[in-house]
Amino acid sequence: MALKVGVIGTGMIGQDHIRRLTKVLSGVEITAVNDIDVERAREAAPYNAEVFDTPQALIESDNVDAIVICSWGPAHEEQLLACIAAGKPVFCEKPMVTSEESAIKVIEAEVAFGKRLVQVGFMRRFDSDYRQLKRVIDSGVVGTPLIYKSVHRNASVPSHYISDMCLNDTLVHDADISRWLLSDEIVGVEVRYPRRSNVGGNDLKNPVIVLLHMAAGAIVDVEISVAIQYGYDIRGEVSGETGVASLPNRPATVVTDMNGIRQAMPEDWRERFIEAYDQEFREWIIAAEQGTATGPSAWDGYASTLTADAALRAADSGKFEKIAMIEKPALYGEQHAMAAE
Amino acid sequence: MALKVGVIGTGMIGQDHIRRLTKVLSGVEITAVNDIDVERAREAAPYNAEVFDTPQALIESDNVDAIVICSWGPAHEEQLLACIAAGKPVFCEKPMVTSEESAIKVIEAEVAFGKRLVQVGFMRRFDSDYRQLKRVIDSGVVGTPLIYKSVHRNASVPSHYISDMCLNDTLVHDADISRWLLSDEIVGVEVRYPRRSNVGGNDLKNPVIVLLHMAAGAIVDVEISVAIQYGYDIRGEVSGETGVASLPNRPATVVTDMNGIRQAMPEDWRERFIEAYDQEFREWIIAAEQGTATGPSAWDGYASTLTADAALRAADSGKFEKIAMIEKPALYGEQHAMAAE
Amino acid sequence: MALKVGVIGTGMIGQDHIRRLTKVLSGVEITAVNDIDVERAREAAPYNAEVFDTPQALIESDNVDAIVICSWGPAHEEQLLACIAAGKPVFCEKPMVTSEESAIKVIEAEVAFGKRLVQVGFMRRFDSDYRQLKRVIDSGVVGTPLIYKSVHRNASVPSHYISDMCLNDTLVHDADISRWLLSDEIVGVEVRYPRRSNVGGNDLKNPVIVLLHMAAGAIVDVEISVAIQYGYDIRGEVSGETGVASLPNRPATVVTDMNGIRQAMPEDWRERFIEAYDQEFREWIIAAEQGTATGPSAWDGYASTLTADAALRAADSGKFEKIAMIEKPALYGEQHAMAAE
Amino acid sequence: MALKVGVIGTGMIGQDHIRRLTKVLSGVEITAVNDIDVERAREAAPYNAEVFDTPQALIESDNVDAIVICSWGPAHEEQLLACIAAGKPVFCEKPMVTSEESAIKVIEAEVAFGKRLVQVGFMRRFDSDYRQLKRVIDSGVVGTPLIYKSVHRNASVPSHYISDMCLNDTLVHDADISRWLLSDEIVGVEVRYPRRSNVGGNDLKNPVIVLLHMAAGAIVDVEISVAIQYGYDIRGEVSGETGVASLPNRPATVVTDMNGIRQAMPEDWRERFIEAYDQEFREWIIAAEQGTATGPSAWDGYASTLTADAALRAADSGKFEKIAMIEKPALYGEQHAMAAE
């Protein structure tokens, strides 16, 4: 009685999720795969899984209870709408969609359906360090959050990575986790470029400082650096009225030798967030078995799209760029308790 | 085609392993349970699992590929020998057996069978912090290990816990992990009792310092404290010829407030080692599917029994108590590379 | 043959410096004091020190080799000019002066004299943690500095403290240390106010985020919080092209108990910087014995005045406020090596 | 009216103390020096200081208020007795004397004089980290101390260093600080030699583990390593009934780069304890001005001699070697409050 899952998109991330769903997690089996490249789908398909010619056919198959979307971004809207039309829970990798209009269509469809079906792949929310940090914030031990500092450093980026991707692809993780940690929405964005790093070989506007202005007034101060060389360094610290709470360093053997007292840094996001990815799907499976979804929602995907758009505008204008959201449907929970009076 | 597992002993730890094998891990199903209390077995049995009247019947069932033994210690010898006789992989909780003679019988049976079948429940070897520490030691970055310091502190112990259990039940974890980290055997034990703690309410000889002398000459310096109140504090540090390597603190939100800059300590072994328990079974399943066992062996169970016995003698005598092992069968690997010249 | 020092201004800070110069440091004696309140001067005067009626008389006294100015800010210009006219080394507490015009007059007088005589009281430059950080930056181990993050948190501020003082009095420490660490000048300032803290009882615009734009392009990102309750928390971290370097926590006993693993935070600036104050005067004495001054100069005092002025404008305008400096006289060293190409 | 100090012994340590007393500290001047090598004394003598032919003449000079003894150990007894006979405060470097009999003679002379005159050079007691640790222990926050762990690692030792010096010269620091931290006396010593380090080039029994048994029952567990290569690593941790308190790492810039997240280790004892040496003399000067002494006493020097002797015996015998002290004269304070019931 395992959950029967169909996977759309069997590229690198799709293959990794297939591995996760077959080798790591319990209560689930992959019964269907689809990819724009049929041969690749065939190779990625686990034993007994059917290879479908189209996403639509996979989504509608009686042998598929729930869907995992790992296709490229522009294809997501149609696939998500088909899942909702079929009433099937769906996990969708980032970006949920690639435009505000698409995001609103997905929200409207889900609201019309009347129950959450969509979970978007913001895996940081499933990381135990972030979860502890959120519990500390919500406990009130540091008082009302006033500033959140997010640091996002990659050792390096692939050669096709361009400056806009700092804001379009990288920033969205910091933006989503900030919204979640602070239980608040982003209402405006500013972007500042410090002196450019000459390291990394590509002509990137790197690093970048982004200020996210939250509805309740807190400011999120983000540093993104994508060619820091030394590792994958993710930090987060909230300054509250009466205290400060920070993500810890990752556990690593403390070595004392001629290089000092030292701990290794994670090499990349795979190493850093491997358990978060597992947990993300563990919780998705549990909800999907109930025919619904929890975790990051279509609303969060919508907010992410708006933030990336505003950040790109702010990078061009050098000014504060406002974000205006539609009214939040009740399906996605009440307006946040911490909103400004 | 999941591995069919029978569980013997459905007390607290047995129930937890049933939960783990049914809810957390993949590639496995529980098809059989047995307990000395049939009613308890019935309640613990997952859907579709058969309740057996005797361990023997469970072990021999065609519907059981591999066995998990969580019965009480004195029953282990007979159950392990039955598993080996049936040629089935078996996971056995600590203590493997309760006497040197029993341990040797298990070893002899397994050697006669010609292949490893037994994995003993020393879960620390599956903890990622200990594994990193071992990698660092084995890499040679701190030089040859000369001293290993192990700290084992429990917030509190149950009312039935008596002083001997510090050496019989608690010490074995430190002893096993030391043997593993240093790739060496224990050849002698000394026990010292510092001033006794008046905290904890029971009349325990607590804390205790144990010196384990290793074959290659390193000394393992163990502090055991079983009523430290504040949490479960497990530390390990190796002093090598040219460097020192230590377990890190567990990751916990860094809170700065009126209590200082602080991180929470794990409450108990469940919180501390939950992932190690999962990983322990993940690897057991993989080996059991191949009809064999990896990880802590019957030889390690035997060493553990000898260490506990010697520690109890040393606590009485106040002297160095020697440990003499039988010759190590080839099945359990070559003599350790680091043994003294 | 100790250095004969006259102290102008015997309020709280003046008294503390008198204590320092008489009880802590060697090679110095206080021979003269002056205060607008003669009675206060008399009480603060060490044995054998003469109480002067006017700053001018003290400065010109043959029994005074060097002067320490601890009077209030608006009096500094005249006193500094008198010291320079007398050719005597002078230590001047912050603020050096209270307007750009005054600062330029002091610079011009000193340049005309032809030798440095003025040291301004930016004590952070004498703190061993900051000095280590600067050595690390200058060593190149983290690459060219791109971002510097400065955190400045006070437990509380006196009742007369008003919002402008965050920028006028508090920020100047972060600004000066940033210029020194990065060997660069500030060319522009932005100020952002996050959600206001309701803690502290006074109606302050607190906390505040300040972005200092450096000539070479680095951005200094300052968080000032003046009512954080828990202690005095000073942090600094430079993000370079290939690494990051941070001030360490202050050494404090690591206590593990029911409150977790924790270290105490300094209570206030006195506790945090007590050794820096001593060292500041130790080096001042050495230079003054040679009839000159080292450390923070009139140029640094001038830069500090400009930064505070620009920050106040930026707080009002919400915009980037430019700083334009006069050409740097050779007396104050060459233009910085790291300036943008 | 500065304290007039005569220095006996102008070797390396004597020269360093002359520097300290003339360049760093206030309220003191060196008026007299003596050395077995007159030429060396002459070179080391500050301006205006008289060079004496004999220690006796220096001690008795009217121009000497207090004496600093930096001669070699066997000369200390006679010089200390002369100081006491002259009624002059004296700072004596370690070892106070070289035999139990000598120590008792010094104690008896001082007791007969009726007032403390002798301060022995255990500088760790003046280190701010150790002082904080003692305050934490004395506050009771970790409960009654049961175990104290002391780690003493030197990067390397000079070529004349032999194995006995681990116990005779190095251990005494750990022994003295343990007595002071725990407010208790040592009643017995055990010594264990782990596998020997092959690093360092000299044929030393290194490292060594020493167990100091305290009167109240606590055990002090000391690790001494004298050729660890990487730096000077001094650690201390007390395990109490309900908590643990440890010395912090020394503050050092936190660098994150390809070598991980790391902090430098002090290179040697000069770097580690430079401030403790200054503070040691600061307090000595204050007491000497009152014609007396505070800090580590002749009693502590006596205890140190007994511990070194017992440790050497224990290294030979492999057994517990008892320490028996004479009754403590009231001059040295009451018996410790924490002594066993």
Side-chain angles (χ1 to χ4, degrees):
Chain A
M1 294 180 314
L3 183 76
K4 293 175 191 164
V5 170
V7 176
I8 299 172
T10 58
M12 195 175 68
I13 183 73
Q15 289 172 31
D16 193 48
H17 288 338
I18 290 171
R19 175 195 63 76
R20 179 166 286 114
L21 292 168
T22 52
K23 308 277 190 200
V24 181
L25 302 170
S26 66
V28 61
E29 65 178 314
I30 292 181
T31 55
V33 298
N34 162 263
D35 194 271
I36 199 164
D37 175 344
V38 181
E39 200 45 52
R40 188 165 70 170
R42 217 162 261 147
E43 283 167 15
Y47 175 82
N48 269 352
E50 185 177 353
V51 178
F52 281 82
D53 286 344
T54 65
Q56 190 67 30
L58 179 147
I59 291 165
E60 291 173 357
S61 164
D62 284 349
N63 204 31
V64 167
D65 299 328
I67 294 95
V68 171
I69 296 179
C70 304
S71 53
W72 76 313
H76 289 183
E77 179 192 338
E78 186 181 346
Q79 295 166 4
L80 284 166
L81 294 175
C83 290
I84 295 168
K88 295 185 181 178
V90 55
F91 175 94
C92 183
E93 268 303 336
K94 300 163 304 285
M96 181 177 80
V97 291
T98 53
S99 75
E100 179 173 359
E101 294 68 29
S102 293
I104 292 174
K105 277 191 208 159
V106 173
I107 286 173
E108 286 173 347
E110 193 174 38
V111 167
F113 182 76
K115 193 163 67 166
R116 277 197 55 193
L117 291 174
V118 178
Q119 176 178 329
V120 181
F122 290 117
M123 78 292 179
R124 288 192 184 183
R125 297 191 185 195
F126 301 89
D127 174 68
S128 57
D129 291 348
Y130 276 111
R131 288 185 157 190
Q132 266 195 52
L133 179 57
K134 181 160 176 59
R135 278 197 299 274
V136 167
I137 294 171
D138 290 348
S139 76
V141 73
V142 299
T144 300
L146 307 175
I147 298 171
Y148 177 67
K149 291 185 182 160
S150 195
V151 171
H152 192 145
R153 298 189 186 117
N154 287 281
S156 60
V157 284
S159 55
H160 68 267
Y161 193 97
I162 58 169
S163 293
D164 278 0
M165 295 173 77
C166 288
L167 305 175
N168 218 12
D169 296 60
T170 304
L171 174 65
V172 292
H173 287 284
D174 302 280
D176 181 71
I177 206 71
S178 301
R179 293 176 58 251
W180 182 70
L181 286 170
L182 303 182
S183 304
D184 203 355
E185 297 293 355
I186 300 165
V187 295
V189 183
E190 296 182 278
V191 174
R192 295 292 177 271
Y193 287 108
R195 180 174 185 162
R196 200 177 292 191
S197 170
N198 284 318
V199 172
N202 23 29
D203 189 35
L204 290 170
K205 291 160 97 173
N206 164 53
V208 55
I209 291 174
V210 180
L211 300 182
L212 304 175
H213 296 256
M214 308 303 290
I219 291 180
V220 175
D221 187 338
V222 185
E223 172 191 338
I224 294 174
S225 169
V226 296
I228 198 65
Q229 307 296 313
Y230 65 70
Y232 183 68
D233 192 3
I234 298 299
R235 308 186 190 184
E237 175 171 289
V238 65
S239 300
E241 288 179 301
T242 58
V244 175
S246 316
L247 294 177
N249 287 340
R250 295 303 300 159
T253 305
V254 182
V255 175
T256 309
D257 65 6
M258 301 298 287
N259 290 311
I261 309 172
R262 60 198 178 93
Q263 293 187 279
M265 177 66 64
E267 281 186 29
D268 57 23
W269 52 271
R270 268 170 292 255
E271 180 184 342
R272 172 65 186 83
F273 286 117
I274 186 167
E275 286 161 20
Y277 282 106
D278 291 349
Q279 187 62 21
E280 173 182 57
F281 276 94
R282 210 169 271 132
E283 300 188 17
W284 178 71
I285 291 165
I286 290 170
E289 281 169 347
Q290 310 297 321
T292 187
T294 56
S297 68
W299 180 259
D300 299 310
Y302 164 61
S304 170
T305 300
L306 294 181
T307 304
D309 288 353
L312 290 169
R313 291 198 308 273
D316 278 346
S317 71
K319 300 199 171 143
F320 177 97
E321 294 291 339
K322 201 176 164 182
I323 292 179
M325 300 185 88
I326 60 171
E327 200 181 345
K328 191 177 185 181
L331 185 65
Y332 303 111
E334 51 186 39
Q335 287 300 331
H336 295 298
M338 285 182 166
E341 309 81 334
Chain B
M1 294 178 313
L3 183 76
K4 295 174 191 165
V5 169
V7 176
I8 300 172
T10 57
M12 195 175 68
I13 183 74
Q15 289 171 32
D16 192 49
H17 288 338
I18 289 172
R19 175 195 63 77
R20 179 166 286 113
L21 292 167
T22 52
K23 308 276 190 202
V24 181
L25 302 170
S26 65
V28 61
E29 65 178 315
I30 292 180
T31 55
V33 298
N34 162 263
D35 193 89
I36 199 165
D37 175 344
V38 182
E39 199 46 50
R40 188 165 70 171
R42 218 161 262 145
E43 283 167 15
Y47 175 81
N48 269 352
E50 184 178 355
V51 179
F52 281 83
D53 287 343
T54 65
Q56 191 66 29
L58 178 147
I59 290 165
E60 291 173 358
S61 165
D62 284 350
N63 204 31
V64 168
D65 299 329
I67 295 97
V68 171
I69 297 180
C70 303
S71 53
W72 76 313
H76 290 183
E77 180 193 335
E78 187 181 344
Q79 293 165 6
L80 284 166
L81 293 175
C83 290
I84 295 169
K88 295 185 180 178
V90 54
F91 175 93
C92 183
E93 268 302 337
K94 299 163 306 285
M96 180 177 81
V97 290
T98 53
S99 74
E100 179 173 359
E101 294 69 29
S102 292
I104 291 175
K105 276 191 208 160
V106 173
I107 286 173
E108 286 173 349
E110 194 174 36
V111 168
F113 181 75
K115 193 163 69 167
R116 277 197 56 193
L117 291 174
V118 179
Q119 177 178 330
V120 180
F122 290 117
M123 78 291 180
R124 287 192 184 182
R125 296 191 185 196
F126 300 89
D127 174 68
S128 57
D129 291 348
Y130 275 111
R131 288 185 157 190
Q132 266 195 52
L133 179 57
K134 181 162 177 58
R135 277 198 298 274
V136 167
I137 295 171
D138 290 349
S139 75
V141 74
V142 298
T144 301
L146 307 175
I147 298 171
Y148 177 67
K149 291 184 184 163
S150 194
V151 171
H152 192 145
R153 298 190 186 118
N154 287 281
S156 60
V157 284
S159 56
H160 69 266
Y161 193 98
I162 58 169
S163 294
D164 278 2
M165 296 172 76
C166 287
L167 304 174
N168 219 11
D169 296 60
T170 304
L171 174 65
V172 293
H173 287 284
D174 301 279
D176 181 70
I177 205 70
S178 300
R179 293 175 57 250
W180 182 69
L181 286 171
L182 303 183
S183 304
D184 204 355
E185 296 293 353
I186 301 165
V187 294
V189 182
E190 296 182 279
V191 173
R192 296 289 177 272
Y193 287 109
R195 181 174 187 163
R196 202 176 290 191
S197 170
N198 284 318
V199 172
N202 24 29
D203 188 36
L204 289 171
K205 291 159 96 172
N206 165 53
V208 55
I209 292 174
V210 180
L211 300 182
L212 304 175
H213 295 256
M214 308 304 288
I219 292 181
V220 175
D221 187 339
V222 185
E223 172 190 339
I224 294 174
S225 168
V226 297
I228 197 68
Q229 308 296 313
Y230 65 69
Y232 183 68
D233 192 2
I234 298 299
R235 308 188 190 182
E237 175 170 289
V238 64
S239 300
E241 288 180 301
T242 57
V244 175
S246 316
L247 295 177
N249 288 341
R250 296 302 302 158
T253 306
V254 182
V255 176
T256 307
D257 64 6
M258 301 297 286
N259 290 311
I261 309 172
R262 59 199 178 93
Q263 292 187 279
M265 176 66 64
E267 282 187 27
D268 57 24
W269 51 270
R270 268 170 292 257
E271 180 182 344
R272 172 65 185 83
F273 285 117
I274 187 166
E275 286 161 20
Y277 281 107
D278 291 350
Q279 187 62 22
E280 173 182 58
F281 275 95
R282 209 169 272 132
E283 299 189 17
W284 178 70
I285 291 164
I286 289 169
E289 281 170 347
Q290 311 297 322
T292 187
T294 56
S297 68
W299 179 258
D300 298 311
Y302 164 62
S304 170
T305 299
L306 294 180
T307 303
D309 289 351
L312 290 169
R313 291 198 308 274
D316 279 345
S317 71
K319 299 198 172 144
F320 177 97
E321 294 290 340
K322 200 176 164 182
I323 291 178
M325 301 186 86
I326 60 172
E327 200 180 344
K328 190 176 185 181
L331 185 65
Y332 303 111
E334 51 187 36
Q335 288 301 330
H336 295 299
M338 284 183 167
E341 309 80 334
Chain C
M1 295 177 314
L3 183 76
K4 294 175 191 165
V5 169
V7 176
I8 300 172
T10 57
M12 195 175 68
I13 184 74
Q15 291 171 32
D16 193 49
H17 287 339
I18 290 172
R19 175 195 63 76
R20 179 165 287 113
L21 292 167
T22 53
K23 309 276 190 201
V24 181
L25 301 171
S26 65
V28 62
E29 65 177 315
I30 292 181
T31 54
V33 298
N34 162 264
D35 194 89
I36 199 165
D37 174 345
V38 182
E39 199 45 51
R40 188 165 70 170
R42 216 162 262 147
E43 282 168 15
Y47 174 81
N48 270 350
E50 185 177 354
V51 177
F52 282 82
D53 285 343
T54 64
Q56 191 66 30
L58 180 147
I59 291 166
E60 292 172 357
S61 163
D62 284 350
N63 205 31
V64 167
D65 300 329
I67 295 95
V68 171
I69 297 179
C70 303
S71 53
W72 77 312
H76 288 184
E77 179 192 337
E78 186 181 345
Q79 295 165 5
L80 284 166
L81 293 175
C83 291
I84 295 169
K88 295 186 181 177
V90 55
F91 175 93
C92 182
E93 268 303 336
K94 301 163 303 286
M96 181 177 81
V97 290
T98 53
S99 75
E100 180 173 357
E101 293 68 28
S102 293
I104 291 174
K105 277 191 207 158
V106 172
I107 286 174
E108 287 173 348
E110 193 174 39
V111 168
F113 182 76
K115 192 162 70 165
R116 277 198 55 194
L117 291 174
V118 178
Q119 177 178 329
V120 180
F122 289 117
M123 79 291 179
R124 287 192 184 183
R125 296 193 186 195
F126 300 89
D127 174 68
S128 57
D129 291 347
Y130 276 110
R131 288 185 157 191
Q132 266 195 53
L133 180 57
K134 181 161 176 59
R135 277 197 299 274
V136 167
I137 294 170
D138 290 349
S139 75
V141 72
V142 299
T144 301
L146 308 175
I147 298 171
Y148 177 67
K149 291 185 183 162
S150 195
V151 171
H152 191 146
R153 298 190 185 117
N154 287 281
S156 60
V157 283
S159 56
H160 68 266
Y161 193 98
I162 57 169
S163 293
D164 277 1
M165 296 173 75
C166 287
L167 304 174
N168 218 10
D169 296 61
T170 303
L171 174 66
V172 292
H173 287 285
D174 302 280
D176 181 71
I177 206 70
S178 300
R179 293 175 57 251
W180 182 69
L181 286 171
L182 304 183
S183 305
D184 204 356
E185 298 293 355
I186 300 165
V187 295
V189 184
E190 296 182 278
V191 174
R192 295 291 177 273
Y193 288 109
R195 180 174 186 163
R196 202 177 290 193
S197 171
N198 284 319
V199 172
N202 24 29
D203 189 35
L204 289 170
K205 290 159 96 173
N206 165 53
V208 55
I209 291 174
V210 180
L211 300 182
L212 305 175
H213 295 255
M214 308 304 289
I219 292 181
V220 175
D221 187 338
V222 186
E223 173 191 337
I224 294 174
S225 168
V226 297
I228 197 68
Q229 309 295 312
Y230 65 70
Y232 183 67
D233 193 2
I234 298 299
R235 309 187 190 182
E237 176 170 290
V238 64
S239 300
E241 287 179 302
T242 57
V244 175
S246 316
L247 295 177
N249 288 340
R250 296 301 302 158
T253 306
V254 182
V255 176
T256 309
D257 65 5
M258 301 298 286
N259 290 311
I261 309 173
R262 60 199 178 93
Q263 293 187 279
M265 178 65 64
E267 280 186 30
D268 56 24
W269 51 269
R270 268 170 291 256
E271 180 183 344
R272 172 65 186 84
F273 285 117
I274 186 166
E275 286 161 20
Y277 282 107
D278 291 351
Q279 187 62 23
E280 173 183 58
F281 274 96
R282 208 169 272 132
E283 300 189 17
W284 178 70
I285 291 165
I286 290 169
E289 282 169 347
Q290 311 298 321
T292 186
T294 56
S297 68
W299 180 258
D300 298 311
Y302 165 61
S304 171
T305 300
L306 294 181
T307 304
D309 288 353
L312 290 168
R313 292 197 308 273
D316 279 346
S317 71
K319 297 200 172 144
F320 176 97
E321 293 290 339
K322 201 178 165 182
I323 292 179
M325 301 186 87
I326 60 171
E327 201 181 344
K328 191 176 184 181
L331 185 65
Y332 303 111
E334 51 188 37
Q335 288 300 328
H336 294 298
M338 283 182 168
E341 308 82 333
Chain D
M1 291 180 316
L3 183 76
K4 295 174 190 164
V5 169
V7 176
I8 300 173
T10 57
M12 195 175 68
I13 183 75
Q15 290 172 32
D16 192 49
H17 288 338
I18 289 172
R19 175 195 63 77
R20 179 167 285 113
L21 292 167
T22 52
K23 308 278 190 199
V24 181
L25 301 171
S26 65
V28 61
E29 64 178 315
I30 292 180
T31 55
V33 297
N34 162 264
D35 194 90
I36 199 166
D37 174 345
V38 181
E39 200 45 52
R40 189 165 69 171
R42 217 161 262 147
E43 282 167 16
Y47 175 81
N48 268 352
E50 184 177 354
V51 178
F52 282 82
D53 286 343
T54 65
Q56 190 66 31
L58 178 148
I59 290 166
E60 291 172 357
S61 164
D62 284 349
N63 204 32
V64 167
D65 299 329
I67 295 95
V68 171
I69 296 179
C70 302
S71 54
W72 76 312
H76 289 184
E77 180 193 335
E78 187 181 345
Q79 294 164 5
L80 284 166
L81 292 176
C83 290
I84 294 169
K88 295 185 180 177
V90 53
F91 176 93
C92 183
E93 266 303 336
K94 300 161 307 285
M96 180 177 82
V97 290
T98 54
S99 74
E100 180 174 358
E101 293 68 29
S102 293
I104 291 175
K105 277 192 206 157
V106 173
I107 286 173
E108 286 173 348
E110 194 175 36
V111 167
F113 182 76
K115 192 163 70 168
R116 278 197 57 192
L117 291 174
V118 179
Q119 177 178 329
V120 181
F122 290 118
M123 78 291 179
R124 287 192 184 184
R125 295 191 186 196
F126 301 89
D127 175 68
S128 57
D129 291 347
Y130 275 112
R131 288 184 156 190
Q132 267 195 51
L133 179 58
K134 182 162 177 57
R135 278 198 298 274
V136 167
I137 294 171
D138 290 349
S139 76
V141 73
V142 298
T144 302
L146 308 175
I147 298 171
Y148 177 66
K149 290 185 184 161
S150 195
V151 171
H152 192 144
R153 298 191 186 117
N154 287 281
S156 60
V157 283
S159 55
H160 68 266
Y161 193 97
I162 58 169
S163 294
D164 278 2
M165 295 174 76
C166 287
L167 304 174
N168 218 12
D169 296 59
T170 304
L171 174 64
V172 293
H173 287 285
D174 303 279
D176 181 70
I177 204 72
S178 300
R179 293 175 56 251
W180 182 70
L181 286 171
L182 303 183
S183 306
D184 204 354
E185 297 293 355
I186 300 165
V187 295
V189 182
E190 296 183 278
V191 173
R192 294 290 177 272
Y193 287 110
R195 180 174 186 162
R196 201 177 290 192
S197 171
N198 284 318
V199 173
N202 24 28
D203 190 34
L204 290 170
K205 291 159 96 173
N206 166 53
V208 55
I209 292 174
V210 180
L211 300 182
L212 304 174
H213 295 256
M214 308 303 289
I219 291 180
V220 174
D221 187 338
V222 185
E223 173 191 336
I224 295 174
S225 169
V226 297
I228 197 67
Q229 308 297 313
Y230 65 70
Y232 183 68
D233 192 2
I234 299 299
R235 308 188 190 182
E237 175 170 289
V238 64
S239 300
E241 287 179 301
T242 57
V244 175
S246 316
L247 295 177
N249 288 341
R250 295 302 302 157
T253 306
V254 182
V255 175
T256 307
D257 65 5
M258 301 298 287
N259 291 311
I261 309 172
R262 59 199 178 93
Q263 293 187 279
M265 176 67 63
E267 281 186 29
D268 56 25
W269 51 270
R270 268 170 291 255
E271 180 183 344
R272 173 63 186 85
F273 286 117
I274 187 166
E275 286 161 20
Y277 282 106
D278 290 351
Q279 187 61 21
E280 174 183 57
F281 275 95
R282 209 170 270 131
E283 299 190 18
W284 178 71
I285 291 165
I286 290 169
E289 282 168 348
Q290 311 296 323
T292 187
T294 56
S297 68
W299 180 258
D300 298 311
Y302 165 60
S304 170
T305 299
L306 293 181
T307 304
D309 288 352
L312 290 169
R313 291 198 309 274
D316 278 346
S317 71
K319 298 198 171 145
F320 177 97
E321 294 290 338
K322 201 177 164 181
I323 291 178
M325 301 186 88
I326 60 173
E327 202 181 344
K328 191 176 184 181
L331 185 65
Y332 303 111
E334 53 187 35
Q335 288 301 329
H336 294 299
M338 284 183 168
E341 310 79 334

